[in-house]
């Protein structure tokens, strides 16, 4: 019989962030994509929201590629309800895309781990998002103005439900990695967070990351991701 828990060369991986706006989700995803050629699906790029499961369907579709072992599903997932949805959609659709003997491991990357954490990162994230300006698919400073942008961000703060590892849905993560946005030197938090993710994945799933990148490779990937500009405003 097939051991569905087994990790082997067929195993595929999905990464779900738990975050609020400005934590560095996209920057971190770009670093990982740059280093390992993983897939990256951004909720902000999906305009037709009629089929809500499209986020997971596209992620699963990317996973069908032979050379794509892992996909980062870039959405805030700041509430239990959203995280539960993602797990349900994977269950519901995985057989449409992947063969029955392909198992999927789901990794959570939690950028904010408690309400205290949330209070600590508000300043950093607001400053970053205001500095980001119009370099974003939907939340453009020019269009909304500062008050409205901070208003959108604070909506996420109010609804935020930190990860609760002992209950549904968060106990469904195969691995949960805790990150920090406002570390001593928040100038490079996305670099440090990427290192944490890579270290923990290398340790738990060497099949996914057999060899650690060098410090130089990491720093280059960070630099490129930080400097990344979206190609053009979405129409
Ligand atoms: P989000 O996807 O969580 O909303 P990002 O768009 O990745 O967050 O980051 C928000 C802004 O902060 C972007 O302008 C990004 O370049 C910047 N940023 C992300 N990580 C770092 C960091 O480690 N140091 C400095 N700026 C960062």
């Amino acid at each position: 019989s097939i051991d569905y828990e087994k990790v082997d060369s067929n195993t595929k991986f999905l990464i779900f962030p738990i975050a609020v706006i400005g934590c560095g989700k996209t920057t971190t995803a770009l670093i990982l994509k740059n280093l390992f050629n993983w897939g990256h699906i951004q909720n902000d790029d999906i305009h037709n929201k009629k089929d809500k499961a499209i986020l997971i369907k596209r992620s699963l579709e990317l996973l069908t590629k032979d050379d794509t072992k892992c996909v980062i599903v870039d959405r805030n997932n700041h509430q239990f309800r959203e995280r539960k949805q993602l797990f349900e959609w994977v269950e519901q659709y995985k057989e449409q895309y992947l063969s029955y003997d392909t198992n999927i491991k789901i990794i959570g990357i939690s950028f904010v781990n408690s309400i205290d954490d949330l209070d600590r990162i508000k300043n950093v994230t607001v400053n970053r998002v205001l500095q980001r300006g119009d370099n974003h698919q939907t939340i453009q400073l020019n269009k909304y103005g500062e008050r409205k942008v901070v208003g959108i961000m604070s909506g996420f703060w109010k609804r935020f439900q930190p990860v609760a590892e002992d209950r549904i849905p968060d106990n469904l993560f195969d691995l949960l990695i805790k990150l920090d946005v406002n570390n001593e030197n928040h100038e490079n938090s996305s670099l440090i967070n990427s290192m944490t993710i890579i270290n923990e994945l290398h340790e738990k799933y060497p099949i996914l990351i057999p060899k650690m990148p060098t410090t130089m490779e990491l720093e280059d990937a960070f630099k490129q991701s930080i400097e990344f500009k979206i190609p053009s405003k979405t129409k």
Side-chain angles (χ1 to χ4, degrees):
S1 68
I2 300 158
D3 178 359
Y4 289 99
E5 293 304 306
K6 216 176 111 223
V7 176
D8 57 29
S9 56
N10 281 326
T11 305
K12 299 277 182 164
F13 298 84
L14 287 172
I15 297 184
F16 298 168
I18 298 126
V20 291
I21 298 171
C23 282
K25 287 179 305 295
T26 300
T27 306
T28 304
L30 291 173
I31 295 173
L32 297 170
K33 182 182 177 183
N34 179 312
L35 288 169
F36 305 112
N37 204 20
W38 290 347
H40 177 212
I41 298 289
Q42 286 187 263
N43 192 47
D44 290 322
D45 286 338
I46 296 173
H47 303 297
N48 178 3
K49 297 248 156 84
K50 259 198 216 131
D51 179 5
K52 296 209 155 174
I54 196 82
L55 181 70
I56 285 297
K57 287 182 182 172
R58 285 199 191 160
S59 304
L60 291 171
E61 201 178 331
L62 267 188
L63 277 187
T64 62
K65 294 190 187 171
D66 279 346
D67 57 353
T68 306
K69 274 194 110 39
C70 179
V71 169
I72 304 146
V73 186
D74 190 347
R75 183 173 89 161
N76 282 303
N77 308 313
H78 63 308
Q79 293 187 286
F80 296 134
R81 185 183 56 85
E82 289 186 297
R83 303 193 290 268
K84 190 158 171 280
Q85 266 182 339
L86 294 184
F87 284 107
E88 285 170 358
W89 288 331
V90 172
E91 272 312 305
Q92 198 175 340
Y93 295 108
K94 73 177 176 201
E95 261 127 53
Q96 269 181 36
Y97 292 88
L98 298 163
S99 74
Y100 72 99
D101 61 346
T102 303
N103 65 345
I104 300 180
K105 293 291 173 195
I106 300 183
I107 298 140
I109 52 173
S110 171
F111 287 82
V112 190
N113 303 302
S114 64
I115 299 298
D116 277 354
D117 259 10
L118 182 65
D119 288 331
R120 284 174 44 238
I121 66 146
K122 285 177 182 169
N123 270 332
V124 186
T125 53
V126 166
N127 290 340
R128 281 183 184 175
V129 169
L130 294 181
Q131 223 170 28
R132 182 174 71 186
D134 289 349
N135 190 29
H136 190 264
Q137 300 97 323
T138 50
I139 306 168
Q140 288 155 7
L141 191 58
N142 246 325
K143 189 159 118 202
Y144 292 115
E146 206 168 302
R147 267 178 65 113
K148 182 93 192 284
V149 167
V150 177
I152 296 171
M153 293 181 75
S154 64
F156 281 79
W157 301 339
K158 279 182 206 130
R159 296 186 301 262
F160 177 67
Q161 292 168 320
V163 83
E165 286 169 82
D166 55 350
R167 52 155 285 185
I168 289 276
D170 298 328
N171 59 2
L172 296 172
F173 284 114
D174 294 293
L175 174 66
L176 185 72
I177 301 174
K178 294 193 172 172
L179 305 173
D180 190 1
V181 176
N182 193 6
N183 57 344
E184 278 162 59
N185 181 7
H186 59 74
E187 285 310 304
N188 67 2
S189 74
S190 294
L191 173 63
I192 305 285
N193 285 337
S194 301
M195 285 175 168
T196 305
I197 294 167
I198 294 166
N199 275 321
E200 292 204 24
L201 286 178
H202 173 65
E203 195 166 304
K204 171 122 186 188
Y205 300 119
I207 204 147
L208 178 61
I209 302 186
K211 192 174 141 280
M212 291 290 292
T214 64
T215 310
M216 266 264 272
E217 286 168 333
L218 264 160
E219 281 171 0
D220 278 352
F222 172 66
K223 252 194 90 194
Q224 284 186 37
S225 305
I226 265 296
E227 284 163 7
F228 177 78
K229 296 275 174 283
I230 55 167
S232 69
K233 277 195 200 171
T234 41
K235 318 250 150 49

